Amino acid sequence: MKLKDEISGKLVEIGTSSYPMKIYVCGPTVYDKPHLGHLRTYIAYDAMVKYLRHRGTPVFYLQNITDIDDKIINRALETGQGPLVLSREYTQNYIDAMKYAGVDSVNYYAMATNHIKDIIKQIKRLEMKGFTYNLPDGIYFRVWMLKNYGRLKRQSPEEQKTGTRAKVADLKEDQRDFVLWKFKKEGEPSWKSPWGEGRPGWHIEDTAISLSFFGRKIDLHGAGRDLLFPHNEAELSIMTALKNSENVCTLWSYTGMLRINGEKMSKSLNNFIPFDELKEKYSREEVRFTFLSSLYSSDLDFSWSMLEESRKNVSYIRRSYEKLKKQSGKGVSIDVGTYRELLYRNMDDDFNTRVAISILIELASEIMKANNVEENSALEAKKLFDDANTFLGIMPEQRETGIPDQSIESLVKLRDLLRKKKLYAESDSIRDSLNNAGIVMEDGENGTIWRRE
RNA sequence: GGAUAGGUGGCAGAGAGGUGAUGCGUGGGACUGCAGAUCCCAUUUAUUAGGGUUCAAAUCCCUACCUAUCCUCCA
């Protein structure tokens, strides 16, 4: 599989080693409800990791959660809660959102506050190498020692100077320097360290977590594009300083921003749609379909009509899948192998889920057009849908109704009999009551079909 | 202002030199006790504008305009 790398700007082959691939994705800062922008990014990486595993590449997928930060403290002051109580609550919200979205590929969620020791250890090592200096409010990272700072952002040092926000921190040796450890302020959560009580800066949280798990090498670092600078640039700097290597991480990957009315959906712009609002209206599969229907790397302008569109497509694919289950004997033969090949080819090409999905729709359409699908083709097509679903997650699961298939079948037959006798009131009442039990009956050319909703 | 990514039908969105995917919407038809779904046909002279390279450009190059993201808060 090839994936675009931000630094080289090129497609890089991944998943070639039989060793587990080490994937790290920047998690959220938990000071507010998770929103659709988060879902977009994490669904993308979830599908990517699942696809790699489906194709036989073992993956260790690690994600951090920033549960101590300025934003959390500020929010806690507003609400009157303890900062760590607040972050714990929103962490749970985040985990719930991931569960809702079917994001279950992450091997471990690392909370920053559980890794204070690793953070301190890492700052010590930077200190020993001369990469830090003290100011009254904290320990800072010395950026000028790395001549390639700005590599990720692809800006030269001259370009970096233009437009820098010239405010505060005038004491810093260089405007680009960033804080590693913040000294304690009254009323803030703090931890002991060799430099006095305090708390970690944002950037070092990620490197401390990723490197303490992964050691020397990270195969893939993912994040939303808004984290590229300064956050990931700082991470890259820390890694480079620690390992004396610019290639600690092989590939930097970014998801595009979710927009709403042409603007980025974000907590700071306060234009976000929280996941619980979505949850009420749309299913996991519809949401995944929506986000995987665009390229992970492009921006996507959100609208509710996108979800309506997805709802129809999810239902269409699902209907064709249900139809497959009931095929037997002779009929139309479908070249499923070609569909599978096209699907994999597009997934392998920078994770083109958009085209992958359109291929599934075409397959579904071919199934729908056929009067009867030949037995072998039906089995293969079903297998392809199942396989694709292991990473896309767009096929609704069958809900158990508690009513055995046989009973449903006989009720369907009874209803047919009543319909033939034009006893519509009676036949409709069978349909209604099964409908209430979550079973949908639809009359078609080849008799009545039913499915669990 | 700088960096980066873009501008494709009514809408959403792929494709990256050789008849412009896919979905939604809209209009018409078929099927039909009703409901739902499905099928067929049409919407199809859709690649921001202007130059250039080429036998051939949505795709490569130049210029202009427009949009988004980032430029030390953000998935």
Side-chain angles (χ1 to χ4, degrees), chain A residues 86-110:
Chain A
L86 181 119
S87 65
R88 203 170 307 138
E89 188 185 316
Y90 285 122
T91 299
Q92 192 52 50
N93 271 313
Y94 176 70
I95 298 296
D96 290 346
M98 291 302 108
K99 203 174 271 180
Y100 156 76
V103 174
D104 52 9
S105 55
V106 178
N107 292 92
Y108 190 71
Y109 287 106

Side-chain angles (χ1 to χ4, degrees), chain A residues 1-18:
Chain A
M1 180 185 185
K2 284 179 182 160
L3 200 65
K4 195 183 172 188
D5 169 47
E6 188 66 24
I7 290 182
S8 64
K10 287 179 182 156
L11 293 177
V12 173
E13 191 72 44
I14 60 166
T16 47
S17 164
S18 58

